Amino acid sequence: MTARSGRRDSARGQLLLLGGIVLAMIFIGIALVLNGSIFAENLATRQSGGASAEVQEFRSTVADGVGDAIGSTNQDRAGESFATLRDDRYQPRVEILADQLANRRSLDGEAIQLTTDGSRPGTQIVDGDASTDFTPRDATTTAGDWTMVASAHIRAFELTAEPTEPDSTSEVTTQLTGGTGDAFEVTLTAATGTAHEVAVYEDSDDSTVRVAVSEVGSGAVRECDAEGGDATVSLTGRPTVDGAYCDALGPVAEASGTYEVNVTNGDLAMGTYRLVVDRTDGPSASEESLDEQVDRVNYGAACSGTTYAATVGNAPYSAPAIYAGTVDLSYRSQGAESDATVQVVPEQAGDSLDTPLVTSLDVTDNSATDGDASFTVAWTVEDPNGDLDEVTLELVDSSGTVVDTDDTDDADIGGESETGSLSVTDTDGWDNTYDLAVTVTDGMAERTRTVTHDADGDTDTSGACPL
């Protein structure tokens, strides 16, 4: 080998070594890029999961605070109009909550905004006099058996009952499974048809106050014991007896939709109660609309009695209330961002607030002296789900017979809100009194609004209740 060839081999070896180093560096770079992508993806996934927990915790805190604002507004300011409750009581409470949360969260590097975005009107029904029994204001007509709520969403339903006489377990069991008994009882019937009976009684065998629960038609009765001579029962939200969870009450108000609440043997217990219901016909109707519907059920079309007093403090009474509140939320932190609109419905029975409403109703009496009763009803309906399906008008005579109906065509109604009119007639019905029942449905649920009118050709609605 010559010196020149030796130098060529040495140079060739150096080039190969350099090429190998370059290739190694390229492979290492590619590996680093790939590993960096995988790390970023994993980090993003972890951050996303953490952010979800952060946002959920924030929303829960807001829901609790807004729920407290709704509850304190209704209880502290009972008797004020809905507009005053909403604008001057509830909204300032939410603004204070928003400031407190913003200041507290800013210390942790979080930026939040909370603003009100509407509220759902309701009515609270209260009997705060423990020395009275569970009967309506005009107890002479309905005695101890009466309707407390006629087809409405209900929430925050709590009662304290002290039985006035003992009863045996066998009699209570007989009563709750369709027989006759002598115990104070509240029945909640969902729009689905499922009904649960809740009896509060004192067992004559051991003088223990018990809460007995049964689904109508099931034949099975479950019980929870009270701690003293009365029982405080929470029927919506977390079901409890004297503050302790009562498993027997669990199924009572789990069905979604509206409920009818009926009282049996209300004169056999003393105590108090409070609940809030949504208005059956929306925010534009008069504040007496709930009373009108309940009075009609308890006392008939003439509404010759009054179920609730209109003055706060009289037992029992009804007053405007906030049923639900909607708020807009904005959350920003180093690891999460979220914007949402949340509806807060504290302690509601069931899990939805999406049934349609008859938000306004106006009757024109077209009756003439030729003997015919004729009415045109202009209506406005709304549906939170945006899937309105049908509106029906029924003309019901004093015997309860539907003498004429009119309804909308499928092509004429849909979406979130609709207005229209329907007409009904009864031949030879001049100068008679009728119920005009407007029912709106969204295909899954329905609500009915009923008014009473005399077929006399004028606009006088004195035949309607409450009196």
Side-chain angles (χ1 to χ4, degrees), residues 2-86:
T2 66
R4 181 178 296 178
S5 64
R7 287 195 296 271
R8 284 201 300 266
D9 291 340
S10 176
R12 191 179 299 114
Q14 291 176 350
L15 288 174
L16 290 174
L17 178 60
L18 180 62
I21 294 173
V22 170
L23 286 174
M25 292 180 66
I26 292 174
F27 288 136
I28 291 173
I30 293 174
L32 287 173
V33 170
L34 290 174
N35 286 338
S37 299
I38 295 171
F39 174 75
E41 182 178 343
N42 288 341
L43 181 62
T45 302
R46 289 197 298 272
Q47 287 179 335
S48 176
S52 178
E54 290 178 33
V55 171
Q56 186 59 47
E57 185 271 335
F58 168 64
R59 292 180 183 177
S60 297
T61 300
V62 169
D64 290 342
V66 173
D68 290 341
I70 293 173
S72 61
T73 294
N74 290 338
Q75 294 193 36
D76 298 344
R77 297 294 178 175
E80 296 181 339
S81 69
F82 172 74
T84 300
L85 293 174
R86 177 193 61 204

Side-chain angles (χ1 to χ4, degrees), residues 154-157 234-240 245 249-250 253 346-350:
I154 64 173
R155 67 170 187 80
F157 189 2
S234 294
L235 294 166
T236 59
R238 184 173 184 268
T240 62
Y245 178 77
L249 286 168
E347 299 178 85
Q348 179 178 255

Side-chain angles (χ1 to χ4, degrees), residues 17-310:
L17 178 60
L18 180 62
I21 294 173
V22 170
L23 286 174
M25 292 180 66
I26 292 174
F27 288 136
I28 291 173
I30 293 174
L32 287 173
V33 170
L34 290 174
N35 286 338
S37 299
I38 295 171
F39 174 75
E41 182 178 343
N42 288 341
L43 181 62
T45 302
R46 289 197 298 272
Q47 287 179 335
S48 176
S52 178
E54 290 178 33
V55 171
Q56 186 59 47
E57 185 271 335
F58 168 64
R59 292 180 183 177
S60 297
T61 300
V62 169
D64 290 342
V66 173
D68 290 341
I70 293 173
S72 61
T73 294
N74 290 338
Q75 294 193 36
D76 298 344
R77 297 294 178 175
E80 296 181 339
S81 69
F82 172 74
T84 300
L85 293 174
R86 177 193 61 204
D87 299 337
D88 300 337
R89 312 303 180 195
Y90 163 68
Q91 289 185 0
R93 281 174 163 85
V94 176
E95 291 170 1
I96 292 173
L97 172 67
D99 290 341
Q100 292 174 340
L101 289 176
N103 293 334
R104 188 185 312 154
R105 298 272 178 165
S106 65
L107 299 176
D108 297 326
E110 300 168 330
I112 68 102
Q113 286 186 332
L114 165 63
T115 57
T116 57
D117 186 24
S119 52
R120 180 84 167 251
T123 300
Q124 63 174 329
I125 303 168
V126 183
D127 185 344
D129 188 349
S131 66
T132 59
D133 57 19
F134 291 83
T135 54
R137 180 171 178 265
D138 184 2
T140 58
T141 302
T142 57
D145 302 340
W146 57 290
T147 297
M148 183 180 287
V149 176
S151 184
H153 291 281
I154 64 173
R155 67 170 187 80
F157 189 2
E158 182 176 278
L159 61 86
T160 299
E162 179 183 359
T164 55
E165 60 183 68
D167 204 344
S168 71
T169 303
S170 61
E171 289 173 339
V172 171
T173 302
T174 301
Q175 178 180 355
L176 290 181
T177 54
T180 59
D182 295 315
F184 163 66
E185 176 187 328
V186 175
T187 302
L188 289 80
T189 304
T192 59
T194 301
H196 284 88
E197 300 164 294
V198 180
V200 181
Y201 73 101
E202 180 182 344
D203 192 333
S204 58
D205 295 336
D206 57 11
S207 299
T208 299
V209 173
R210 292 192 168 93
V211 177
V213 184
S214 176
E215 180 178 340
V216 175
S218 70
V221 177
R222 303 169 66 194
E223 295 186 329
C224 291
D225 290 349
E227 294 181 349
D230 59 18
T232 298
V233 185
S234 294
L235 294 166
T236 59
R238 184 173 184 268
T240 62
V241 173
D242 291 340
Y245 178 77
C246 176
D247 185 65
L249 286 168
V252 170
E254 291 182 350
S256 61
T258 58
Y259 284 79
E260 180 170 294
V261 182
N262 291 286
V263 177
T264 303
N265 296 323
D267 52 344
L268 297 183
M270 310 289 285
T272 62
Y273 59 88
R274 178 188 297 270
L275 71 157
V276 182
V277 303
D278 73 323
R279 290 239 294 273
T280 58
D281 45 10
S284 61
S286 67
E287 293 173 351
E288 293 80 16
S289 58
L290 171 98
D291 292 354
E292 180 179 330
Q293 301 288 15
V294 173
D295 290 347
R296 191 182 309 279
V297 173
N298 288 322
Y299 304 106
C303 293
S304 57
T306 304
T307 306
Y308 301 116

Side-chain angles (χ1 to χ4, degrees), residues 430-443:
W430 168 259
D431 208 27
N432 289 337
T433 299
Y434 294 88
D435 277 351
L436 294 158
V438 177
T439 300
V440 57
T441 178
D442 62 1

Side-chain angles (χ1 to χ4, degrees), residues 287-357:
E287 293 173 351
E288 293 80 16
S289 58
L290 171 98
D291 292 354
E292 180 179 330
Q293 301 288 15
V294 173
D295 290 347
R296 191 182 309 279
V297 173
N298 288 322
Y299 304 106
C303 293
S304 57
T306 304
T307 306
Y308 301 116
T311 303
V312 171
N314 290 355
Y317 69 85
S318 65
I322 294 175
Y323 186 83
T326 303
V327 292
D328 292 329
L329 308 179
S330 174
Y331 179 89
R332 299 288 186 273
S333 72
Q334 186 175 3
E337 294 185 2
S338 174
D339 295 290
T341 298
V342 177
Q343 187 177 60
V344 180
V345 191
E347 299 178 85
Q348 179 178 255
D351 56 2
S352 65
L353 186 58
D354 53 14
T355 50
L357 300 171

